[in-house]
Amino acid sequence: MLSLVIPVFNEKDNIDELIQRVEKSLKDYSYEIIFVDDSNDETTAIISQFACGDQRIKLIHRKNKTGLASAVICGFENAQGDILAVMDGDLQHPPEILPKMMKEIEQGADLVVPSRFIPGGSDGGLNHFRKLVSATARYIGKILIKSLRRASDHTGGMFMLRKEVIQGKQLNPVGWKILMEIMVMGSYQNLVEIPYVFSTRNLGQSKLNLKVQLQYVWHIIGLLKRSESDRRFYVFCLVGGSGVLIDMLIFAILGYRFPGMSVNAKAVVSAFIAMVSNYTLNNLFTWKEIRGIKFNYKAFLVNLRRFSKYLMVSSFGILIKSIILFLLYYFLHINKYWGNFAGIVCASFSNYFLSKLWVWREEKASFPIYKRVGEKNSSGVSAKK
């Protein structure tokens, strides 16, 4: 059965048409419509009238609560179906694509995301300002979080999924785009996008404001903290930056305390100390969940072997940086500082992926990466309140 969750806030003029179009679209399916209503106008009474005449329509009225994401979580908690879907209550999401989404689920999709930005789709329902805001939000998310790159439109707000995608997962209802939360924290393999045309709002008022936009940014930051793969990369870059500073500081100190020491010798010593610092910090913070905390002979051997691997990876990174700089500077005649910067970027990616796949790989299975927080509710969704 499909459980369609529709968060609403003061949408009294749209409820009648919305229900009629949903019923027509889903006439061949078993379904329930769950309205999670935060309204302070006649919307609640209108939905209540429909619910009295049709047991497939459910009303959850929340007093003194607002927030689209928390409303969706509330709907999931009360859903009876094994397939969940979400759409807005302002008719900008066309109910007519629900059967297409169901067919994709029936054919093996775990998560179906309608997109305005693939052939056949359109965001024509947005004015130029909202198009700019939407595009900015999308690209900020895609740049910072790897999982969001799997879909072209993670801010659309309409989607469908199998319930097991979020079974036992901690979903933090912050902001306005719960789909981002699911794409980052959910368990799914097959994500399918289908095109849709975003409609113009004819009745009611848009809920987009500065507060909502700031919540989106805060949500991105929160996901970065909770997404291990994304968090690791940025922490790794910060550790690498600290290594550069340590290298330069040690090099300067050696030059001051040991003026007779050769430049190459000082460079080797400062680089080695920086590598030791980087390894220690990566062990403590970047891969903190697999570092091991016991101080014994076995742990010493593990860290010695891992440190040896890290030195090889770092040396390979230095080689990559040198090759990039040489090619850009001598063959393409690019400024040496820009060439050096390009080399550092390439070396950073190389160091990160080799560290992830080789240096810190061996004990990964022995240490849990995620900790489950909160008790499961009836739907299997754990929500942080």
Side-chain angles (χ1 to χ4, degrees):
M1 184 175 75
L2 169 66
S3 294
L4 176 60
V5 177
I6 306 179
V8 289
F9 178 71
N10 294 350
E11 296 287 356
K12 62 179 181 179
D13 298 319
N14 292 316
I15 298 301
D16 191 352
E17 180 183 349
L18 175 61
I19 291 177
Q20 290 184 38
R21 289 171 62 181
V22 169
E23 290 179 342
K24 184 177 180 181
S25 299
L26 295 177
K27 63 182 187 302
D28 296 327
Y29 295 94
S30 172
Y31 69 91
E32 63 177 354
I33 306 174
I34 303 174
F35 285 99
V36 183
D37 172 43
D38 297 337
S39 303
N40 52 27
D41 65 356
E42 294 88 353
T43 300
T44 307
I46 294 172
I47 298 174
S48 181
Q49 290 178 357
F50 279 100
C52 289
D54 189 341
Q55 62 179 1
R56 296 173 300 181
I57 300 174
K58 298 179 180 179
L59 170 64
I60 301 173
H61 180 61
R62 306 191 306 171
K63 294 182 179 180
N64 302 319
K65 286 189 177 182
T66 58
L68 186 146
S70 63
V72 172
I73 294 294
C74 179
F76 286 170
E77 291 173 351
N78 290 273
Q80 299 299 312
D82 54 350
I83 300 171
L84 308 174
V86 177
M87 64 179 295
D88 291 346
D90 55 10
L91 296 176
Q92 291 189 286
H93 292 151
E96 289 72 22
I97 68 169
L98 288 169
K100 296 179 182 178
M101 298 169 72
M102 284 292 294
K103 286 181 181 178
E104 294 293 344
I105 292 289
E106 291 169 350
Q107 292 173 5
D110 299 311
L111 176 60
V112 181
V113 180
S115 173
R116 298 163 286 178
F117 309 111
I118 59 176
S122 171
D123 63 348
L126 294 177
N127 58 40
H128 292 300
F129 172 73
R130 287 198 61 184
K131 285 183 180 181
L132 176 62
V133 172
S134 179
T136 302
R138 285 197 315 278
Y139 285 107
I140 287 175
K142 288 183 179 182
I143 290 170
L144 295 177
I145 301 179
K146 182 179 179 181
S147 298
L148 300 184
R149 299 169 202 160
R150 297 184 64 177
S152 62
D153 192 2
H154 62 269
T155 62
M158 186 176 188
F159 57 93
M160 185 179 291
L161 68 151
R162 300 179 186 274
K163 182 179 280 189
E164 55 261 33
V165 170
I166 56 173
Q167 199 82 24
K169 299 299 180 181
Q170 177 194 345
L171 299 181
N172 187 7
V174 176
W176 56 304
K177 295 303 179 187
I178 190 66
L179 176 58
M180 296 194 312
E181 187 87 10
I182 292 171
M183 287 182 65
V184 174
M185 305 304 296
S187 298
Y188 59 95
Q189 295 294 327
N190 189 11
L191 184 153
V192 175
E193 288 192 291
I194 62 172
Y196 87 107
V197 176
F198 192 69
S199 303
T200 304
R201 171 186 274 273
N202 295 317
L203 299 169
Q205 238 178 0
S206 173
K207 312 303 187 297
L208 183 67
N209 53 39
L210 179 60
K211 178 182 177 181
V212 168
Q213 296 172 51
L214 292 176
Q215 284 179 334
Y216 175 85
V217 175
W218 187 249
H219 194 184
I220 289 288
I221 295 172
L223 286 173
L224 280 175
K225 292 179 180 179
R226 289 184 291 138
S227 172
E228 288 293 339
S229 60
D230 293 298
R231 180 194 62 81
R232 281 200 196 104
F233 178 73
Y234 294 110
V235 174
F236 186 86
C237 290
L238 289 174
V239 169
S242 72
V244 173
L245 295 177
I246 290 172
D247 191 329
M248 295 174 65
L249 178 62
I250 297 299
F251 187 83
I253 291 174
L254 290 175
Y256 176 75
R257 296 297 300 271
F258 305 98
M261 191 176 184
S262 70
V263 172
N264 287 338
K266 287 185 287 187
V268 169
V269 172
S270 62
F272 182 79
I273 293 175
M275 286 182 186
V276 173
S277 172
N278 283 2
Y279 172 79
T280 303
L281 292 175
N282 280 319
N283 220 29
L284 289 173
F285 300 107
T286 311
W287 278 277
K288 60 182 179 180
E289 73 282 354
I290 62 173
R291 67 178 184 267
I293 57 175
K294 293 183 178 179
F295 296 95
N296 52 37
Y297 180 69
K298 183 179 179 180
F300 172 78
L301 291 180
V302 167
N303 277 285
L304 182 61
R305 182 169 64 251
R306 194 184 289 160
F307 180 63
S308 300
K309 291 180 179 180
Y310 185 76
L311 288 181
M312 286 187 275
V313 167
S314 299
S315 299
F316 183 66
I318 292 173
L319 177 63
I320 289 178
K321 173 192 166 185
S322 301
I323 292 174
I324 296 295
L325 173 59
F326 179 82
L327 293 175
L328 293 180
Y329 181 66
Y330 287 101
F331 286 90
L332 299 180
H333 306 293
I334 292 176
N335 181 279
K336 60 183 178 182
Y337 295 106
W338 284 112
N340 191 53
F341 177 76
I344 290 173
V345 172
C346 293
S348 296
F349 279 100
S350 169
N351 288 353
Y352 173 72
F353 286 109
L354 287 175
S355 295
K356 175 183 177 181
L357 297 174
W358 187 44
V359 180
W360 274 277
R361 182 183 181 184
E362 54 187 321
E363 291 83 27
K364 188 172 183 178
S366 301
F367 295 86
I369 293 179
Y370 297 104
K371 292 183 178 179
R372 189 169 296 170
V373 179
E375 297 294 328
K376 292 182 183 179
N377 49 48
S378 60
S379 68
V381 181
S382 177
K384 183 180 178 181
K385 301 296 183 184

